[in-house]
Amino acid sequence: MKPWLKPFLAEAIGTFALVFIGAGAVIATQLPGGDFGLLGVAIAHGLVLAIAVSATMHISGGHINPAVTFGAWVGKVIDARTAINYIIAQLMGASFAALLLSRLYPLDAAAAVSLGTPMLADSITPLTGITIEAILTFFLVFTVFGTAIDERAPRLGGWAIGLVLTFDMIAGGALTGAAMNPARALGPAVAWGDWTNHLVYWAGPIIGGILAAGVYTRLLMPKAEEASVSADTGAAAFE
């Protein structure tokens, strides 16, 4: 197997899981027994992301999100070719998951929520939606850098990242659907054909991801000389 194919598959499978379980949970709210509401949907998204990131982190870095990939590219964690491969894999995985959902779930339940496609509340304008998605995604990508990319980070697997997704969805789900992920929005839109305010779910997450990467890498990530001084200081303590 070619070296690039393993991370490609990991990103596709991880994003498939996020969309199938996440959008599936949204559809399930329309079925008998599906009275778990926003909290249940948020928990489903958070748990599946935590598992998907933990399972793929050692293969691809566990991005599972074009906004995370854009952030990693801006932060010079990955190169442009890798970023493009990851985003293609994520969009493919998301689209395939949504197509399966459209075939497996009852049509009336899927239609009631446009197959789990994120939507703006009636009171939310596209600009406000972009701002909300950017803020929520900032927290998500900032946590990715702080717990998965930074070499000083505590090794928590994907659990901290999944928790951020959960509380972001609780806070913003009723306003924008709290996608924080262009692939999560694209998959159901491809399968169902509802592209209402779709640009919001690209612009907001990418802006938030880039801002988080810039803040973390420029202000919080140790520079080479700082790391050297820290290492020297640590070594001196044992002399």
Side-chain angles (χ1 to χ4, degrees):
M1 183 177 288
K2 294 182 179 181
W4 63 268
L5 189 55
K6 290 181 180 179
F8 185 95
L9 286 174
E11 287 296 310
I13 292 168
T15 313
F16 175 97
L18 175 65
V19 173
F20 190 87
I21 299 301
V26 175
I27 299 169
T29 63
Q30 306 300 310
L31 298 173
D35 53 354
F36 44 79
L38 177 60
L39 180 60
V41 170
I43 291 172
H45 277 82
L47 286 176
V48 69
L49 183 65
I51 297 298
V53 171
S54 297
T56 60
M57 188 177 288
H58 61 293
I59 303 170
S60 65
H63 292 191
I64 323 298
N65 184 340
V68 172
T69 299
F70 268 104
W73 173 63
V74 169
K76 299 181 180 179
V77 177
I78 59 173
D79 59 25
R81 176 177 292 183
T82 300
I84 292 170
N85 284 341
Y86 278 20
I87 292 170
I88 291 171
Q90 293 155 2
L91 299 181
M92 289 177 62
S95 298
F96 184 46
L99 287 169
L100 282 181
L101 286 173
S102 70
R103 300 295 188 272
L104 298 174
Y105 277 65
L107 183 61
D108 56 345
V113 291
S114 293
L115 201 70
T117 306
M119 295 288 179
L120 297 182
D122 292 340
S123 61
I124 302 299
T125 67
L127 181 58
T128 300
I130 289 172
T131 303
I132 292 169
E133 285 288 318
I135 293 170
L136 298 178
T137 309
F138 179 94
F139 295 143
L140 180 66
V141 177
F142 186 88
T143 302
V144 170
F145 272 85
T147 65
I149 292 176
D150 192 335
E151 293 181 355
R152 305 166 299 170
R155 296 308 165 196
L156 303 174
W159 293 101
I161 299 166
L163 284 173
V164 173
L165 187 69
T166 302
F167 70 61
D168 271 356
M169 291 200 73
I170 292 171
L175 302 176
T176 66
M180 298 163 277
N181 184 334
R184 171 64 183 83
L186 181 83
V190 167
W192 199 254
D194 191 339
W195 298 92
T196 306
N197 294 312
H198 187 72
L199 180 61
V200 168
Y201 301 101
W202 281 88
I206 290 173
I207 290 169
I210 290 174
L211 287 174
V215 168
Y216 202 98
T217 57
R218 292 179 180 275
L219 301 179
L220 300 177
M221 195 81 83
K223 303 294 188 292
E225 60 270 19
E226 292 173 352
S228 176
V229 169
S230 177
D232 292 343
T233 301
F238 290 94
E239 292 178 355

